[in-house]
Each structure stands twice: as structure tokens, then as C-alpha cells.
Amino acid sequence: MSENSHAWTGPAGEAHETAPAAPVTINEHPSGHFIDRHRHAYHQLLHVSEGVLAVRTADGTWVAARDRAVWTPAGLWHEHRVYGHSRVHTMGFPPGDAPLPVDAPTVVAVDGLLRELLLVCTEPDLPAGEARRLRAVVDDRLRRAHVRPLTLPAAQDPRLAEACRLVTEDLGRPRTAAWLARRVGAGERTLARLFRAEFGTTYPQWRTRVRVFHAMLRLADGATVTQAGRACGWATTSAFVDAFGRTMGQTPGAYRAAASAAEGAEGPQGAGSG
């Protein structure tokens, strides 16, 4: 069953979900697969046992990977893009039964137990009684799950949005705050205030986050650790490994191996790749 199997086109020509049920599905998608903007009548949890899935809304982008799942509240318009061959597990939750916040998407940590539960719950032809019992455990685990956000919020101020675009479109070049301020027609202090006001972070912190975010996608798409680090602006593999580890809590090599779930993936440091 594909992700869009319940979708229909409304008056504005936009696909959206109307099925009253809260389905459980498992799907495989090739790298680069894109699922158009849509919404569901139910809450949805997305987890990938292979690859990476980016969930984009009007407010930002969230990433589902092997060690994290993305929760999308009912009625929220969103779209998906797959990086690397991906195996996507989805669980629907009725609007009145939400184990996670319903005001915005949430990224939650997926530990070993929760991962196995999600894999079993999305097995085809799972007996109804067993499914109910397993779902109860999933609900309990989600209510206690740690939030692990790696989110790229969308800028609202046009000057900040343009600064983000300039950086993201060429991650290989270090862009100073002064250079950005001149390009977007804002003072350096003004731009710094915008980063703090809208993202709650400094410009260097935001740039590190966006570089790690795009490195994740490149790793899932098959790039080596060295290739991903260079493409996203790190001068050395060791500097990339350090920044990625501080942000993600694991090395890029370990992340790449988990995302691909393949034999012979790079070792933990990936220093010999490239």
C-alpha cells in the first residue's frame, strides 16, 4: 500500500487524507521518492528501518531515521522526501487518542524496544488482539519517549529567509554573519537578533545544524563520511566527525551504517572513506 493510497484531491487541487481509520502501513521507496503535500484525518508516526525520510511543513523540516521517528498531528499539511532506499513504517492514531503533542510535529528518540515494537506493529496480517496489546505498549513508550529534535524551522522574516537560502544553497563555502548581513540588507546585529528570535540560536549554531542535517541526507543517499563532510563545508573528516557526534550523539559512520542497514558499511569513524 502506498503512502497516498487514501488520498483524494480537494477543490484547490491539493491531495489530502480523509480516511476515518488510523491505518498502519509499511512501504519501501527508492531514493529521491517524493510524496506530495497532503494531510491526514488522524495523527501519524513515521519511522524508517532503512534510509531517511524528511518531513516538510510550512514551519520547517523534520527527519525520521532509524533512531528517531517523526510525529505529525492530524490535519497538518506536510510532504515527504526519501533519501536512500527507505523502508517506511507508519502508525496512525485516532484524533482523540494522542500519546504525543498535537500542536506541532515532534521528533522522538527510538530506542531498541520501541524500534522492535514499531517493526512488529507494521507487519502485514498481524492478529487484531495482538495488535491491540502491542499498540498499548507503543502508546506507553511514546508518552515516555525523549524528544530528539533535529529540525530546520522555516524563517518568517524575509531577510532571515534569504540569509538561510544563501547558506543552504552553498554549504561548502563558509559565509560570515557580516557577509550575509550585507547581502540581505540588514545590520549584523539585526540579523543576529533574527536568528535568536526565530530559531532560538546563534548563526554559527544554526549553520552547524543545517550542515549536519544535509550531511545526514547525503550519508543516507550513499555518500561516504568524507564525501558528506566535504560537501557540507568541513575542511577535515575529523572536524566533521566531531561536529556530527556532538549534534547527533553518534558518529557519521555509525549513522550511515544504521541508515543503510547494509553489510560492509563504514566503520565508526569512517576516516578511511572517500
Side-chain angles (χ1 to χ4, degrees):
M1 181 184 299
S2 70
E3 181 71 24
N4 284 330
S5 59
H6 300 287
W8 63 286
T9 302
E14 294 177 305
H16 56 108
E17 297 276 355
T18 58
V24 175
T25 66
I26 179 171
N27 301 283
E28 295 201 19
H29 300 291
S31 180
H33 183 71
F34 181 78
I35 297 172
D36 291 332
R37 187 171 180 263
H38 64 286
R39 61 181 176 180
H40 308 281
Y42 48 85
H43 308 301
Q44 187 180 63
L45 184 74
L46 299 109
H47 173 61
V48 293
S49 55
E50 296 178 32
V52 168
L53 180 73
V55 180
R56 182 179 179 183
T57 75
D59 295 321
T61 305
W62 290 257
V63 167
R66 191 170 183 269
D67 63 345
R68 64 195 63 221
V70 175
W71 167 266
T72 56
L76 178 75
W77 290 103
H78 60 285
E79 59 192 31
H80 304 160
R81 185 177 179 86
V82 170
Y83 295 85
H85 179 87
S86 296
R87 189 172 180 84
V88 183
H89 307 258
T90 65
M91 289 188 66
F93 296 78
D97 182 20
L100 291 166
V102 299
D103 55 339
T106 301
V107 179
V108 296
V110 175
D111 59 16
L113 176 56
L114 182 55
R115 181 180 304 115
E116 293 305 318
L117 286 168
L118 294 175
L119 298 186
V120 173
C121 283
T122 54
E123 286 181 355
D125 304 319
L126 186 67
E130 184 178 354
R132 284 194 299 271
R133 292 188 294 273
L134 288 170
R135 177 177 283 270
V137 181
V138 169
D139 285 358
D140 288 341
R141 298 299 296 184
L142 288 176
R143 288 187 172 92
R144 295 165 50 196
H146 297 291
V147 175
R148 292 190 60 181
L150 182 63
T151 306
L152 294 184
Q156 301 304 310
D157 186 284
R159 295 166 296 180
L160 182 59
E162 176 64 8
C164 293
R165 184 190 67 79
L166 289 170
V167 173
T168 304
E169 285 188 350
D170 194 358
L171 292 173
R173 291 190 180 185
R175 301 298 192 184
T176 66
W179 183 89
L180 283 176
R182 290 194 300 271
R183 290 295 299 269
V184 304
E188 192 172 344
R189 290 184 179 180
T190 298
L191 191 60
R193 284 197 297 270
L194 288 172
F195 271 101
R196 287 194 176 277
E198 293 203 22
F199 299 157
T201 186
T202 66
Y203 165 60
Q205 290 169 335
W206 173 85
R207 184 171 180 266
T208 295
R209 183 181 301 177
V210 77
R211 291 161 76 198
V212 168
F213 182 96
H214 284 275
M216 287 173 59
L217 305 184
R218 288 178 179 273
L219 290 167
D221 233 359
T224 66
V225 171
T226 299
Q227 289 168 344
R230 286 176 177 168
C232 294
W234 279 277
T236 66
T237 300
S238 60
F240 172 46
V241 169
D242 180 64
F244 193 98
R246 283 187 281 105
T247 303
M248 300 295 294
Q250 64 181 149
T251 65
Y255 176 83
R256 182 180 186 271
S260 63
E263 293 288 337
E266 290 180 34
Q269 297 299 320
S273 60

